[in-house]
Amino acid sequence: MATFPVINMEKLQGEERGATMELIKDACENWGFFELLNHCIPAELMDEVERLTKAHYKKCMEERFKKSDLASKVLNGEAAETDVKDMDWESTFFLRHLPVSNMAEVPDLSDEYRATMKEFVAKLEKQAEELLDLLCENLGLEKGYLKKAFCGTKGPTFGTKVSNYPPCPKPDLVKGLRAHTDAGGIILLFQDDKVSGLQLLKDGEWVDVPPLRHSIVVNIGDQLEVITNGRYKSVMHRVVAQTDGNRMSLASFYNPGSDAVIYPAPELLEKEAALEESQVYPKFVFEDYMKLYAGQKFEAKEPRFEAMKAVNLGPIATA
């Protein structure tokens, strides 16, 4: 099997730009995932985020997780398969950044953690927007098209799911996080570089996403699959629970605004032969998709796309 795609962002500045853009294109079309090195987020800032995230889990969340129904049953050897089939071995909280931040309202965060996360997500937002323009370039779309497609009336939505995956004595019984595709746009993940667990489904096999120090893992969400009319694909991925080590994961979701209307880019449709036959993706309001996704996250994405076709918001203008 081909090697998991790792993109050195520094090479976009020199003679290797063309080859690097091809690597990004191949990753989007054939993997749905890739990993960034030498991106715009300083290593020292990432180290601080990791230190504070792990300290916060230890101080504020570890005991709470151990006392949860799932953890107490598994840790005490009382869990049966029926007890855990709809549950994930993870401890999480969510930070919203755009359109309005909730950072000040989230309890138990130290002032240092809030300030560090604010700096971190500002860099991530910049990186996400740079990536969207690189995708535009590869797709032959005008610069800024994807960001504009995400905007709606209030701009994009952007938030971070902070997760810890504690050691699990029964990794054969319960998943860290069950298999799913991500509903949104483009996802930037800062994952633990010592404890693995993230896997993606490629060609019918589960492939490890390598934990590389100071890297950012990027994956394509369902909305980019729709906007590219299937040229780029969101892919199933999961987290496998581990018996040793606590895996940290900060997944930041750069998504459309709630009222953004999502549909295949007309310019891409124009380029495709047999337009009426080739247009297979729907037109819908992102919030409506999210309502459907909430109940179907761990199921295949194709029925969600089919359900959205029934909404029928009218034709996509290509002239």
Side-chain angles (χ1 to χ4, degrees), residues 7-309:
I7 311 296
N8 184 347
M9 297 294 279
E10 284 184 344
K11 292 186 177 180
L12 288 169
Q13 309 305 320
E15 294 178 359
E16 295 180 78
R17 177 181 173 82
T20 305
M21 291 296 288
E22 277 298 312
L23 285 175
I24 295 172
K25 179 174 180 284
D26 179 71
C28 290
E29 292 181 354
N30 297 309
W31 287 82
F33 269 77
F34 52 97
E35 204 153 359
L36 300 182
L37 296 177
N38 298 316
H39 43 73
C40 74
I41 304 157
E44 303 77 27
L45 178 57
M46 298 181 83
D47 289 342
E48 272 299 279
V49 169
E50 180 174 0
R51 179 182 70 82
L52 291 164
T53 299
K54 290 184 173 180
H56 174 266
Y57 172 75
K58 202 80 182 163
K59 180 182 177 182
C60 303
M61 303 190 72
E62 186 174 38
E63 280 307 309
R64 199 181 310 163
F65 175 78
K66 287 179 179 177
K67 290 175 182 175
S68 68
D69 285 347
L70 171 64
S72 57
K73 282 184 177 180
V74 172
L75 292 171
N76 293 326
E78 300 167 356
E81 198 168 319
T82 51
D83 294 324
V84 301
K85 69 181 182 71
D86 295 325
M87 303 183 83
D88 303 303
W89 189 263
E90 62 173 1
S91 170
T92 69
F93 65 95
F94 194 81
L95 299 173
R96 187 178 65 247
H97 317 306
L98 295 174
V100 180
S101 173
N102 74 340
M103 197 100 71
E105 289 87 60
V106 177
D108 302 327
L109 302 184
S110 68
D111 290 343
E112 184 185 17
Y113 195 14
R114 291 182 212 274
T116 304
M117 284 299 293
K118 186 176 180 180
E119 184 182 355
F120 178 62
V121 299
K123 300 275 190 191
L124 276 176
E125 181 185 350
K126 179 183 174 185
Q127 187 65 76
E129 292 176 353
E130 180 188 344
L131 283 168
L132 288 177
D133 279 341
L134 292 174
L135 301 193
C136 284
E137 186 178 334
N138 266 341
L139 290 161
L141 298 171
E142 66 175 318
K143 186 177 181 179
Y145 179 89
L146 290 172
K147 183 182 176 183
K148 186 177 177 183
F150 281 18
C151 271
T153 60
K154 299 173 185 173
T157 53
F158 185 41
T160 299
K161 179 187 176 187
V162 181
S163 304
N164 280 271
Y165 298 92
C168 178
K170 296 278 188 179
D172 54 327
L173 183 67
V174 58
K175 287 283 177 288
L177 180 60
R178 289 162 285 161
H180 63 287
T181 64
D182 288 328
I186 191 166
I187 299 87
L188 285 75
L189 170 72
F190 174 25
Q191 67 167 345
D192 203 294
D193 68 320
K194 296 179 181 66
V195 184
S196 62
L198 178 61
Q199 297 181 328
L200 64 92
L201 190 63
K202 178 166 173 58
D203 302 328
E205 295 182 19
W206 288 105
V207 178
D208 290 329
V209 177
L212 300 177
R213 185 155 176 76
H214 297 140
S215 73
I216 293 289
V217 177
V218 179
N219 71 286
I220 300 296
D222 294 350
Q223 307 311 302
L224 276 180
E225 178 167 338
V226 171
I227 294 171
T228 65
N229 205 40
R231 191 175 300 186
Y232 294 171
K233 294 277 200 308
S234 61
V235 300
M236 281 285 206
H237 53 284
R238 68 184 185 183
V239 176
V240 178
Q242 305 290 333
T243 54
D244 298 310
N246 179 57
R247 179 178 177 269
M248 179 203 74
S249 161
L250 289 91
S252 296
F253 300 83
Y254 190 98
N255 290 347
S258 59
D259 65 351
V261 180
I262 302 300
Y263 53 88
E267 196 171 336
L268 297 183
L269 294 182
E270 280 183 345
K271 293 175 183 176
E272 293 179 8
L275 179 63
E276 292 302 315
E277 293 176 23
S278 65
Q279 187 194 310
V280 294
Y281 286 85
K283 180 181 183 181
F284 53 84
V285 176
F286 180 58
E287 186 175 34
D288 292 339
Y289 187 85
M290 288 305 293
K291 288 175 182 174
L292 184 66
Y293 180 84
Q296 300 181 5
K297 176 177 178 176
F298 300 108
E299 299 173 20
K301 63 190 171 185
E302 290 78 12
R304 298 197 292 266
F305 293 150
E306 285 301 315
M308 287 292 102
K309 285 182 182 179

